């Protein structure tokens, strides 16, 4: 085989692969738009707040994806819906405003696509981040104490301090990163209907 | 030998190979630590620091093993091998040396950033933007040097290794460049970002690393066995199929949701066809290794490369198995996929890399091996270690998948299903690490000439058979 012919084959194959996935993918799902919910007058999927946007970076940096996925499968191929991880399967439009868009390929822990609807309580999410065993003794999720400041307990409770104390002498105040992460987790919802994925 | 007698590019190759050894030990060490944390969750409470958390150790180890160990090592041995394709020597040795140093610097930068600042969350791109930029820059220098090794006319010399080298050289900058531009350079919509991540991951694994491994298989196996590839047409067909299908294999891992269904179906078909391609290449490998059992019992390089070649076929057959519609929903999101990673990374590419170093480095640097038994420890440690880990992870993945798909099984009990398998996996990962430490020690001792050489060429100890060294792989 001549080198030039080999070069054309390789370049042709690589460009074909690129075009058929990235370019066609962009054409097919990159131009999707949010849907207007006429009852609430809000768009779906909802646009995340600035805090949640930063929280996505914290979620990535803490490596949560190594154990949690962000993709609910349909009833035909899994028990995800029966487990209560979502009310419908996720579709490409759900990732429209996610930056960075993450999906995750591992499930040592539960899927978090709909965690915002399943566990909206800020205090519980904060406690889980500080030490997951505060809420569930058998949890294998690692603690993230570096997302909290330990402040000596006094007569005045710090604003936003957790209701639990590690030793009775200190109170736990969430750092900015913890607040962002919780905001991101609360923004993760797929409990709305889309034209291509109606609620059952 | 005077250092000036070494050909240009030799120093760059040495930097890349030594760097790859360090990153392999560090990467496998971090992986061992991460698996131990999964086995004993209390471990991550011992040191309450973000850099010690499971979520950072895993991406850091994957980055080190992929870019640091395999990327660096494969480029290093190719720098020794490529000028022999065409007989054209490198001209700008210092430039290549600079490129090799830059590659090591970017790996170090990536490692510290992932551990201290955290991974990016993007598939196959845990490193920050500037590290990718440095990697591309370094690769352009090293890759340009390697293209010189391809030669202008291919009338003489092997064709298949050159074709796979061409594929690997073009796929890396195209894939990484596209991914960086679309994922971090522009604000592509989230729905497109996942497609781009999967596309880059396919390029990285199946169009960059795998072809570089195949270059070494199709160059060194014929040289070491003294046989030619018996069907060039079959080889060419497998090469064209790899070019066309490799970029689709990443979509198999995505189950439902994030990307369009037709892409997932295309990925499944591509994985099935790649299984056939692997069988085709397996036929060529079978012809090359058939009846050479006695040689491979003695010749370390031949044995490692033969194991690597068969593991290549096994890895892609496993991928085809994982893509089957009956198994895919069960094994999605499980550690079963880590079994593929283990076979692909450690058994296929790791063995081929080790075999190539055994075959090429002593000849190019003019040194011998100080101990034969250390070579045996290396072979059995790494092969048994990675083979056992892969088997454990596959079984663990099956249990995990069945448990995930049974809503009656609480998710908090999932770890207890994995525990027995993880226990064996931790042990076998430690065995692999031991084998690699032995290899690093014996290689360093040989390079520094700390002990007298027991064997000019890497041979296993066999008191009954004393044979002269086999063919010089550099000069046939």
């Amino acid at each position: 085989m001549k080198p030039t012919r080999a070069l054309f084959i390789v370049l042709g194959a690589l460009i074909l692969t690129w075009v058929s996935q990235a370019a066609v993918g962009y054409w097919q799902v990159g131009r999707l738009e949010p849907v207007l919910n006429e009852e609430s007058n809000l768009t779906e999927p909802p646009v995340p707040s600035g805090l949640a946007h930063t929280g996505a970076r914290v979620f990535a940096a803490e490596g949560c994806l190594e154990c949690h996925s962000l993709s609910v499968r349909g009833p035909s191929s899994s028990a995800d819906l029966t487990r209560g991880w979502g009310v419908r399967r996720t579709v490409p439009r759900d990732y429209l405003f996610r930056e960075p868009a993450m999906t995750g390929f591992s499930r040592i822990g539960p899927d978090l696509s709909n965690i915002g609807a399943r566990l909206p309580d800020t205090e519980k999410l904060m406690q889980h981040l500080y030490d997951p065993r505060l809420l569930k003794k058998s949890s294998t999720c690692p603690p993230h104490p570096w997302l909290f400041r330990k402040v000596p307990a006094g007569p005045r409770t710090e604003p936003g301090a957790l209701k639990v104390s590690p030793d009775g002498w200190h109170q736990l105040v969430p750092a900015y990163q913890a607040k962002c992460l919780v905001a991101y987790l609360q923004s993760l919802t797929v409990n709305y209907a889309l034209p291509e994925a109606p609620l059952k | 030998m005077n250092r000036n007698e070494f050909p240009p590019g030799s120093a760059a190759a040495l930097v890349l190979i030594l760097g790859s050894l360090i990153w392999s030990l560090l990467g496998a060490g971090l992986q061992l630590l991460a698996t131990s944390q999964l086995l004993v969750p209390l471990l991550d409470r011992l040191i309450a620091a973000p850099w010690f958390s499971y979520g950072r150790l895993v991406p850091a180890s994957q980055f080190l093993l992929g870019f640091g160990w395999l990327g660096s090592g494969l480029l290093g041995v190719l720098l020794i091998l490529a000028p022999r394709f065409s007989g054209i020597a490198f001209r700008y040795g210092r430039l290549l040396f600079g490129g090799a140093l830059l590659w090591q610097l970017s790996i170090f930068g990536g490692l510290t950033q992932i551990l201290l600042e955290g991974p990016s969350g993007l598939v196959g791109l845990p490193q920050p933007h500037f590290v990718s930029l440095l990697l591309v820059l370094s690769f352009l220098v090293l890759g340009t040097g390697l293209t010189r090794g391809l030669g202008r006319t291919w009338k003489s010399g092997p064709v298949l290794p050159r074709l796979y080298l061409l594929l690997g050289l073009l796929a890396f900058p195209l894939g990484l460049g596209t991914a960086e531009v679309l994922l971090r350079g522009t604000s592509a919509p989230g729905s497109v970002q996942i497609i781009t991540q999967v596309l880059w991951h396919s390029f990285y694994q199946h169009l960059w690393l795998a072809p570089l491994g195949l270059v070494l298989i199709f160059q060194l196996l014929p040289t070491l066995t003294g046989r030619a590839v018996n069907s060039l047409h079959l080889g060419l067909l497998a090469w064209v199929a790899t070019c066309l299908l490799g970029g689709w294999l990443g979509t198999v891992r995505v189950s439902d949701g994030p990307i369009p269904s037709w892409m997932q179906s295309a990925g499944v078909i591509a994985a099935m066809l790649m299984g056939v391609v692997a069988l085709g290449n397996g036929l060529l490998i079978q012809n090359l290794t058939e009846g050479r059992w006695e040689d491979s019992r003695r010749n370390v390089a031949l044995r490692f490369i033969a194991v690597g070649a068969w593991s290549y076929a096994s890895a892609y057959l496993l991928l085809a198995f994982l893509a089957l519609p009956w198994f895919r929903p069960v094994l999605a999101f499980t550690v079963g996929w880590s079994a593929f990673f283990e076979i692909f990374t450690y058994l296929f590419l790791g063995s081929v890399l080790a075999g190539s170093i055994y075959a090429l480095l002593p000849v190019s640097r003019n040194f011998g091996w100080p101990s034969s038994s250390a070579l045996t420890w290396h072979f059995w440690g790494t092969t048994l270690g990675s083979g056992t880990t892969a088997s454990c992870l596959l079984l663990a993945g099956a249990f995990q998948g069945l448990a995930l798909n049974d809503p009656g099984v609480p998710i908090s009990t999932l770890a207890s299903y994995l525990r027995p398998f993880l226990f064996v996996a931790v042990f076998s990962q430690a065995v692999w690490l031991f084998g690699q430490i032995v290899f690093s020690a014996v290689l360093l001792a040989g390079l520094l000439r700390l002990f007298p050489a027991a064997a000019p060429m890497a041979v296993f100890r066999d008191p009954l058979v004393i044979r002269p060294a086999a063919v010089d792989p550099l000069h046939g």
Side-chain angles (χ1 to χ4, degrees), chain B residues 318-340:
Chain B
L318 177 63
L319 186 68
F321 169 80
L322 290 171
L324 284 172
W326 307 285
F327 300 114
R328 190 162 160 256
V330 177
L331 291 166
F333 301 110
T334 70
V335 293
W337 276 91
S338 305
F340 168 75

Side-chain angles (χ1 to χ4, degrees), chain A residues 3-200:
Chain A
T4 43
R5 189 178 295 172
L7 186 67
F8 280 125
I9 291 175
V10 172
L11 276 177
L14 294 181
I15 290 169
L16 183 69
T17 307
W18 190 89
V19 167
S20 47
Q21 285 184 61
V24 174
Y26 192 92
W27 177 75
Q28 189 180 358
V29 299
R31 299 187 306 173
L32 286 173
E33 289 182 345
V35 176
L36 182 70
N37 184 332
E38 291 181 352
E39 285 178 19
S40 63
N41 212 24
L42 294 170
T43 56
E44 282 162 350
V47 182
S49 66
L51 209 60
H53 190 74
T54 310
R57 306 264 171 204
V58 181
F59 183 85
E62 295 303 328
C64 305
L65 276 180
E66 299 305 328
C67 293
H68 297 284
S69 59
L70 293 170
S71 159
V72 178
R73 292 179 290 174
S76 60
S77 59
S78 74
D80 293 5
L81 298 184
T82 324
R83 279 189 179 278
W85 288 343
V87 288
R88 61 164 174 82
R89 72 185 185 96
T90 45
V91 289
R93 201 193 298 258
D94 289 317
Y95 299 84
L96 207 55
F97 298 119
R98 296 199 188 159
E99 173 62 38
M102 296 175 273
T103 173
F105 290 127
S106 178
R107 278 183 183 168
I108 307 291
D111 184 90
L112 300 181
S113 303
N114 199 34
I115 189 73
R118 285 165 48 214
L119 190 65
D121 187 348
T122 306
E123 172 72 19
K124 281 191 174 169
L125 284 171
M126 287 288 185
Q127 286 186 19
H128 177 85
L129 285 183
Y130 177 73
D131 185 356
R133 293 189 181 187
L134 289 174
L135 299 176
K136 197 166 204 171
K137 289 282 175 207
S138 58
S139 176
T140 51
C141 188
H144 296 76
W146 53 86
L147 295 176
F148 296 83
R149 279 186 303 120
K150 258 186 178 180
V151 178
R156 194 174 68 89
T157 306
E158 290 278 333
L162 301 195
K163 289 175 185 162
V164 292
S165 168
D167 47 16
W169 297 94
H170 289 89
Q171 43 186 331
L172 295 165
V173 182
Y176 176 67
Q177 286 186 322
K179 290 176 187 166
C180 293
L181 183 49
V182 166
Y184 174 67
L185 291 172
Q186 287 170 331
S187 78
L188 290 174
T189 52
V190 279
N191 55 356
Y192 45 84
L194 289 175
E196 65 273 34
L199 296 177
K200 296 288 178 194

